[in-house]
Amino acid sequence: MSTLEIRDLSVSVEAKQILAGVNLTIKAGETHAIMGPNGSGKSTLAYSIAGHPKYTVTGGSVTLDGQDVLAMSVDERARAGLFLAMQYPVEVPGVTVSNFLRTAASAVRGEAPALRLWVKEQKEAMAALEMDPAFASRNVNEGFSGGEKKRHEILQLELLKPKIAILDETDSGLDVDALRVVSEGVNRVRATGETGTLLITHYTRILKYIVPDFVHVFAGGKVVEEGGKELADELEANGYAKYVGAAAI
């Protein structure tokens, strides 16, 4: 069973501290929701784990199955089993979705998947996400709608089968139908029991489709409250005000 352990993680951006001692443990098969107001550090946590150079780790540790994640390059983190679905996926002109996915799968698996089997695997995953087969021939995220970008992120998730998936506001910009399809994809991965999921969101609407095992409230760059699904319901009803005030003390 894979485990991501975050201990006393502190992170700065341009000398300004954003994370102030984050502690979190995510195991395979678990779904953790991180909720909090804008500017609380949720996305900073995601990108710091993934290795974005903009974020400087000033203290603490991140390990995946005992391995020092912070000592790894970005591509080493991906091959080790970390996956980040970005809030704003970038365009990759000149690279088709099909080539991108097969190249990524080859890097993660250590060898290129047999083409015949890969085409079948990709088609089945796309069908489950209600994606037009012609989508595979388009350039990565170029001209994609918000919903198409998010479906493509979940397509990667299903095909790459990471140990830990970090989903940064995957519900952002989705209509009701796209939210349902994307959530079903996340739940299929969750049902395997082989992937731990860290779901970052502002709102509870996605948690009606993806029911978390744990909910963590983020404020002031750290976790200030923890609980189950009932905590998300409380946040929906009362907002973040009391937690933001407590974090400022």
Side-chain angles (χ1 to χ4, degrees):
M1 179 179 289
S2 293
T3 302
L4 180 72
E5 291 194 61
I6 303 166
R7 291 288 173 266
D8 298 319
L9 184 65
S10 295
V11 173
S12 295
V13 177
E14 297 178 351
K16 179 182 179 181
Q17 186 176 48
I18 306 297
L19 299 186
V22 176
N23 290 287
L24 200 60
T25 300
I26 303 165
K27 297 180 179 179
E30 296 178 348
T31 298
H32 293 248
I34 287 188
M35 303 184 70
N38 284 326
S40 59
K42 303 185 304 298
S43 292
T44 294
L45 176 64
Y47 285 97
S48 298
I49 295 170
H52 194 296
K54 173 183 175 182
Y55 303 95
T56 302
V57 176
T58 57
S61 64
V62 180
T63 61
L64 177 60
D65 297 338
Q67 292 184 297
D68 184 0
V69 169
L70 301 179
M72 300 178 187
S73 62
V74 173
D75 60 303
E76 287 171 340
R77 297 181 198 206
R79 286 197 295 270
L82 289 175
F83 175 86
L84 172 64
M86 294 180 284
Q87 183 179 359
Y88 303 109
V90 298
E91 295 183 2
V92 187
V95 179
T96 66
V97 167
S98 182
N99 284 338
F100 173 79
L101 291 171
R102 189 163 185 254
T103 299
S106 299
V108 169
R109 300 178 187 183
E111 61 181 5
L115 188 57
R116 179 176 59 83
L117 297 176
W118 172 253
V119 170
K120 179 175 182 291
E121 186 179 355
Q122 180 180 277
K123 283 184 176 180
E124 288 176 349
M126 291 178 68
L129 287 164
E130 301 179 17
M131 298 170 74
D132 187 328
F135 188 90
S137 300
R138 296 173 62 182
N139 291 338
V140 173
N141 292 325
E142 195 170 36
F144 287 15
S145 68
E148 287 174 331
K149 288 180 179 179
K150 296 306 173 71
R151 290 184 200 222
H152 181 223
E153 295 282 281
I154 303 308
L155 178 62
Q156 295 172 53
L157 173 63
E158 293 208 63
L159 290 172
L160 298 178
K161 302 176 176 61
K163 295 178 180 178
I164 301 292
I166 304 168
L167 311 181
D168 186 18
E169 300 198 30
T170 295
D171 53 336
S172 176
L174 296 182
D175 62 27
V176 173
D177 290 330
L179 179 62
R180 172 188 57 81
V181 171
V182 163
S183 298
E184 287 173 353
V186 174
N187 283 329
R188 281 192 295 274
V189 173
R190 174 184 182 175
T192 67
E194 297 176 358
T195 298
T197 304
L198 180 61
L199 179 64
I200 296 170
T201 184
H202 285 293
Y203 308 109
T204 60
R205 67 174 193 151
I206 195 171
L207 304 184
K208 292 177 172 61
Y209 296 91
I210 305 170
V211 180
D213 300 299
F214 307 94
V215 174
H216 312 272
V217 182
F218 231 61
K222 57 188 175 184
V223 176
V224 296
E225 185 64 88
E226 297 178 306
K229 176 64 166 60
E230 72 285 348
L231 179 54
D233 296 334
E234 188 229 306
L235 294 171
E236 176 77 1
N238 301 316
Y240 298 110
K242 79 173 185 179
Y243 298 109
V244 172
I249 296 174

